[in-house]
Amino acid sequence: ALFRLITFGLNAFILRFLSKEIIGIVNVRVPLGLFWSLFLGWVWFQILEVPDPNVVPNYGVGVAAFGLSAVIELLGEPFWVLAQAYMLVRLKVIAESLSVILKCILTAVLVVWFPHWGLYIFSLAQLLYTTVLVFCYIIHFMKLLGSREPTKKSLPISGMTDLLPHITVNGNFVNWNEAKLTWSFFQQSFLKQILTEGERYMMTFLNVLNFGDQGVYDIVNNLGSLVARLVFLPIEESFYIFFAKMLERGKSVKLQKQEDIAMAATVLESLLKFVLLIGLTITVFGYSYSQLALDIYGGSMLSSGSGPVLLRCYCLYVLLLAVNGITECFTFASMSKEQVDRYNFIMLALSFTFLLSSYFLTKWQGSVGFIFANCFNMGIRIAQSLHYIYRYYRESPHRPLAGLLPSPFLIVVYVVSGVVTGISEVFLCCERGWLARLLHIMVGALCLGATLVTVFFTETKLIFFIRTQFLPRYTKKKT
């Protein structure tokens, strides 16, 4: 997965400076991806620990298949960038949904009928996922470029071959001026990748956890990050484009259109309140229902060990992840190039701090140390973004950071709900039979209902924002 860091910076670069000349930089995409897949495949085979073939057969085939699937996906990255830049949301939803559904169906069928295939199953499923994803984008843009739709006229390409590796008009395979600019974005993407998934590289290269603990951590990480992937990530991607179009990079608030500044401040305040309440709900109720969730998901093997503690800590991490996603979304959409470069130095220091804290906290607390290190990392990043947003709106009457302050009565309801569900867990969960579990779930449902009712009556501005932005059909019917 490391070689895909090259594409992260490239995507950000093309999204920000999309033009016909810039598209030529995709020449380096597939060759670099192929090089990194071969190099890292060799590292996985020759340097890192290889599982016992009797326990994990076909390991080599799995590594090769995932490397090939990543190269295939690189062919579709330019189309993904164009879809993002021109807000083709429907295309993205259909392509990714269809790919994931077919991947899950194939995995389920092969696991049921051919369980002895082992890694062959997941390798074939991954190849199917990337192939379907790329073909969905290719087919859509082939139809678009062959039609007379208005969107076609604004595209920075005239044909499908413009997005394939080729020799440019001046005879160069790479435009080095554009490559230098891409390098700065690659640096930022590399550092952000370390900050986001640094613990995985620590586990892979330093063996700070055994395979059993890594498996439990991965299960908890996948369960805990469901909300981040399904809710927070689509919001961040959509509103990053919104902020980038509303605000002018590098300009003071006083020198921009005040209507746009007010709109951006209102949206930012509502988004912060929205993700904050989601994160608080997950943190409060996740503490009392982590053990039950793991027991239902994986039985006593997960619920009796370190799993519940990991998931409880991860619920707190989700809260920080939610706030950080929106604050960095606004920050990167409004920063100038010079500010982005300065931020890169801060991220470099954060990367070293995060890696060191991950190593020592894991040695001290085990797998929980990774989550503590992630929380510390997210806290520092949130502080940086909040400082930037405060200074950005300092000369205006708008205070979007007020979105991080829920109503006092709502805070009391959250505290009471946490106490009540905590007591319920002690007396009803999880070794007292299914009847006690159902009662525990009912207690949580009542507390959650009381919390939602309180939100509805105390956070009226947020409710109006949700109705207008996420429920437009409801608003139209009401009017």
Side-chain angles (χ1 to χ4, degrees), residues 44-323:
W44 251 250
F45 280 127
Q46 301 297 328
I47 298 179
L48 299 181
E49 181 182 358
V50 177
D52 185 357
N54 297 321
V55 179
V56 185
N58 308 317
Y59 179 75
V61 175
V63 173
F66 274 80
L68 176 61
S69 68
V71 174
I72 294 174
E73 191 171 346
L74 288 175
L75 292 172
E77 289 288 328
F79 302 106
W80 179 88
V81 171
L82 286 173
Q84 286 288 99
Y86 289 90
M87 303 182 73
L88 303 177
V89 180
R90 186 168 177 267
L91 168 62
K92 179 184 174 182
V93 171
I94 292 176
E96 295 187 359
S97 300
L98 181 62
S99 303
V100 171
I101 290 172
L102 292 178
K103 176 184 177 181
C104 293
I105 292 175
L106 179 63
T107 302
V109 171
L110 293 180
V111 166
V112 172
W113 292 97
F114 305 99
H116 58 280
W117 283 13
L119 286 179
Y120 281 137
I121 297 174
F122 302 98
S123 301
L124 291 173
Q126 182 65 22
L127 286 172
L128 176 67
Y129 167 79
T130 53
T131 303
V132 173
L133 182 67
V134 170
F135 269 100
C136 285
Y137 282 106
I138 290 177
I139 292 172
H140 177 83
F141 279 99
M142 285 181 65
K143 290 183 177 180
L144 183 62
L145 291 171
S147 66
R148 297 181 179 179
E149 292 186 27
T151 309
K152 174 188 173 183
K153 299 178 182 178
S154 60
L155 290 175
I157 59 174
S158 56
M160 299 294 291
T161 56
D162 292 344
L163 295 175
L164 297 175
H166 63 279
I167 304 297
T168 57
V169 178
N170 57 10
N172 296 326
F173 190 72
V174 175
N175 186 320
W176 293 107
N177 291 328
E178 296 168 358
K180 290 178 182 178
L181 290 173
T182 305
W183 173 249
S184 66
F185 281 88
F186 164 70
Q187 290 174 307
Q188 179 189 354
S189 302
F190 179 84
L191 295 173
K192 191 171 183 180
Q193 178 72 2
I194 294 297
L195 291 173
T196 304
E197 297 187 0
E199 75 274 8
R200 296 184 180 274
Y201 301 115
M202 295 280 290
M203 283 189 285
T204 301
F205 292 102
L206 298 181
N207 294 322
V208 292
L209 296 177
N210 58 48
F211 284 121
D213 291 337
Q214 288 186 31
V216 175
Y217 180 85
D218 283 338
I219 291 174
V220 171
N221 182 64
N222 290 334
L223 286 175
S225 60
L226 279 175
V227 177
R229 293 197 302 267
L230 299 178
V231 179
F232 298 147
L233 184 59
I235 292 175
E236 293 168 20
E237 290 180 349
S238 300
F239 283 95
Y240 172 82
I241 299 174
F242 169 80
F243 289 131
K245 291 182 178 295
M246 294 291 293
L247 305 173
E248 298 183 44
R249 296 179 182 270
K251 277 192 176 183
S252 172
V253 171
K254 293 182 178 180
L255 301 178
Q256 300 186 49
K257 294 181 179 179
Q258 295 306 304
E259 295 83 2
D260 293 343
I261 293 296
M263 175 67 73
T266 302
V267 171
L268 178 59
E269 179 181 353
S270 299
L271 282 177
L272 288 174
K273 183 66 67 67
F274 181 60
V275 298
L276 176 70
L277 295 184
I278 294 177
L280 282 174
T281 303
I282 292 172
T283 302
V284 171
F285 290 92
Y287 183 87
S288 302
Y289 289 88
S290 294
Q291 185 178 1
L292 177 61
L294 290 176
D295 191 68
I296 295 174
Y297 181 78
S300 59
M301 183 179 65
L302 288 178
S303 62
S304 60
S306 61
V309 177
L310 279 173
L311 190 54
R312 285 167 183 156
C313 295
Y314 204 96
C315 290
L316 174 61
Y317 176 59
V318 169
L319 171 61
L320 299 176
L321 197 66
V323 177

Side-chain angles (χ1 to χ4, degrees), residues 428-444:
L428 299 176
C429 185
C430 283
E431 299 177 355
R432 293 174 173 82
W434 279 103
L435 180 59
R437 294 183 184 185
L438 290 175
L439 291 175
H440 181 46
I441 293 173
M442 290 177 61
V443 171

